[in-house]
Amino acid sequence: MTAVHNGGRAWELLQCCISMESGMKRIALSMFCLGLWSAFAMAERPPYTDYCAMLSQEIQGRKHAFLAGNLTYYVGGRFDVWTHRGDETIGLTQPFFHDLRGRGFGLVKHDKSGYGHDFRGWEFYNQTKVMFGTVIVGGKEYKYPAPISMKWRPDKVVCTYEVGGVNVREEKFIAANDTACTIITSDKPVTLRFDGQSLVIAGKSIDRTSKVRLDAAGNSVHITEGGTVQTHPFRDKAKTLKAYPGKLIYDGMSTVLSSSAKLSAYTAARDKEGRQVYSFEVPCDSKGVAMTWAMHDDYAKALKATKTVLGDYRGALAAKTKASNDMLNYQVPYFRCSDRDIVSVYYYLWAIHLMYYIDVQKGWEMYPHTQSAVNNFLGMHRYDANFQIKVGSWAADKKRYAYGNVLNWKAILPYARRGGLLPDNKGIAWISPVWGTTTEHVIGAWEIYQRTGDLQFIRDCYTGYFDELFKNGMAGHWGCNYDAARYLREMAILTGDKKDPDRWLKMVRHDRREIWRKQMWEAHYPKFFGGARGRLDWSGFAYLRNSGFPEKWAYDMTKAWAMDSKKGFFWKTPLSTMAFQHFDQVCKDFTSTPDTNYYAIYGMYKCNVGRNANICALAHLKGYNMHWGIPIAPEAWSLKALPWGDQYSNFNAGKILLIIEGIAGLDYSIPNGTLTIRDSMPEEWSSMELRVPMTVKGKMHWPIVKYARKKTGDTVAKTISVTGNPLANLKVKPWLEEGAVLSAPQGYSAKGQGRNRIGYSFKDAVNKSVTIKIKPGEKE
């Protein structure tokens, strides 16, 4: 058998090897294995694209820099909810270590939140100052120069400066072993002085015990962080925060700063705040100099990591670029369409989603998983996981990019509350003592199973986790409890649960679902589901995503409310979180948000709303996720019609599903052996192409799905073609563009295909093409 045929089994063996390693060795081995994984699918994978170059964007004065390793992150420049507070400069200004040992400023044990939770200091890195550069040209000093250009890419940030008639360029990146590095060149010889300080939290630090020294033999500066700080692990019923003395988040850790050039002019002192303040100098010219930062509990390991990178820093950068490109080429569905902005947004959101993956392998953090935001929400948010779990199900390597997004929560089952409620966030030994629903996690887990057929994954999810979490009830979460109960029933059967599998349906009173729906429809407003009198918010649209929601209701509701720019939700950056007629109640900072638009528009596609779903989706993606002509991922848009909150927010991940499952209409089931194409390709587009990674019987396949649209007069010819389909069943359900079929190949059905669709079913169709001619409906 070929290497490709053995891909699935070999990858399992490689994962076993990784699990036997630890720390930085494990990360390096993971990168090596990712390359082998790529090789197994070489025969069928998409054409290789330099996505790092494609996604390169100018961010100076617009956004801070953001880079990610596994346990290391980098933020350069300062923005508070998109308000510019400070520029990036030469050096490594704010690299920081975050293995989820804690959440904020301090570490303290509390019986309600475990060890490490803090309601304060989620952006503790803003209190750090690691390596800020001063350029010395001909004896004149230029302190902390701002870049004239700062270009972000998933693999690195490239800054350029003009300082005293000298052109300086640097490339900042995080290497595979979690060492941050910057490679600096200047067109004329200069001296660079770097200064920084140990971590002290102004106004909150209690004891300050950090130390700093020059390790001349190691050509490095060694900072030993230490101290205690006011910590706020719990909030009582009155939402009062009580301060406890706790260890500083970095207490006992070693920071190592080093260079490819010899460090000179070293100084150190303690300032009035008790910080250890240090500085040193290095020469720089056209040949370049590399500066590194590494952090670990063990000084020797941090020193070794930084020396490994310095041994071949250009090779380390090349490896980072390749690893970043490999992820976007080999881990996510390939996507192209007529609209370049949508392609850019698609890959940008995938890049952000993948950059946040973390694999700690300590305590309650035994699975790799994504996270929410570098600004103030590292760790995986329970609510955000509702759609991040589903996004991971489309990755090629689901054991790395999907399973953990569900199973990560299993460790905190002892903290569960009735109805399947779990804490909002967690780390190695802490929880966030704020509870919420996990009902939709069940649906996401089921989608992962459909795209893998992995019974062991279902056993891991169901036995000892879901069956315990929901045994005393299941919260509704905008009506998805009915679908979740159905999937729990299926899981019970698959795993051989000896209890009655129908108990899950009985628990949610599934037999009364239609009665409940009728009670909710127009309960407060005409052509609207749910809501409350005197407050018409977006949440009524969330119900559309549930199976069996009446398509006519969905169409009428979208037309009446989502498309209305006077009393409905079609705001400048659609859709708004509150209807215009109640805009006096809108949250000014969260006037439009990514989660609400995911839920609303995703439901429209599920209900075959068609044209109006596309209008909402494209207006949102191009209005919310494009700014300055580049893709962005803000936490929200404010009432001022400006981006707000986190700047690189994985809160946007659900929009990936709007493209794959909504516009392209793709789905597949390994257990059922079925590939389904239910397109909603926008009428403005002439073409679209996706290549979907799926493992079938241990072999990686990349079936190609192409869509073509050509209009001649009043007639549209639409072609959907499939190449390399590895599944036994193929279903093609073209959208009729609010019109009717003029001509189509024989064999289609018009019944049971969804609103304004026809459908074909094919057996053993490896390659298939369907062309239909339609007369689109008139635009309203």
Side-chain angles (χ1 to χ4, degrees), residues 599-617:
Y599 275 116
I601 302 170
Y602 185 74
M604 294 176 195
Y605 282 120
K606 294 281 280 188
C607 289
N608 297 300
V609 166
R611 179 179 291 156
N612 287 340
N614 280 341
I615 291 172
C616 291

Side-chain angles (χ1 to χ4, degrees), residues 551 607-608 678 733-734 750-758:
E551 292 183 349
C607 289
N608 297 300
R678 189 174 58 96
K733 303 181 178 185
K751 295 182 179 180
Q753 306 304 317
R755 180 189 162 276
N756 199 225
R757 295 185 182 280
I758 60 172

Side-chain angles (χ1 to χ4, degrees), residues 49-59 63 150-156 324-325 328-329 332 340-355 626 629-632 648:
T49 301
D50 187 347
Y51 288 110
C52 290
M54 186 188 93
L55 293 173
S56 177
Q57 57 178 242
E58 180 60 62
I59 63 171
K63 297 192 285 184
M150 179 162 65
K151 291 185 177 179
W152 176 92
R153 300 163 31 131
D155 58 330
K156 65 183 178 180
S324 298
N325 273 324
L328 293 169
N329 276 279
V332 311
R340 291 184 180 181
D341 285 351
I342 302 301
V343 175
S344 295
V345 167
Y346 174 82
Y347 280 102
Y348 182 75
L349 295 183
W350 264 118
I352 296 299
H353 179 78
L354 295 172
M355 288 173 72
M626 289 293 297
I630 60 174
I632 62 172
Y648 297 85

Side-chain angles (χ1 to χ4, degrees), residues 153-164:
R153 300 163 31 131
D155 58 330
K156 65 183 178 180
V157 171
V158 180
C159 295
T160 56
Y161 309 81
E162 291 179 358
V163 185

Side-chain angles (χ1 to χ4, degrees), residues 71-124:
L71 308 178
T72 292
Y73 307 88
Y74 184 83
V75 172
R78 178 82 179 267
F79 282 79
D80 293 336
V81 290
W82 292 78
T83 299
H84 187 204
R85 302 296 188 193
D87 287 308
E88 173 66 313
T89 193
I90 291 175
L92 295 169
T93 55
Q94 289 184 323
F96 66 100
F97 180 90
H98 204 309
D99 66 352
L100 299 178
R101 65 183 60 193
R103 189 183 194 186
F105 291 139
L107 305 170
V108 70
K109 188 173 184 179
H110 192 281
D111 61 354
K112 296 293 197 311
S113 60
Y115 181 77
H117 184 261
D118 194 346
F119 272 114
R120 299 282 178 82
W122 297 354
E123 297 178 70
F124 69 85

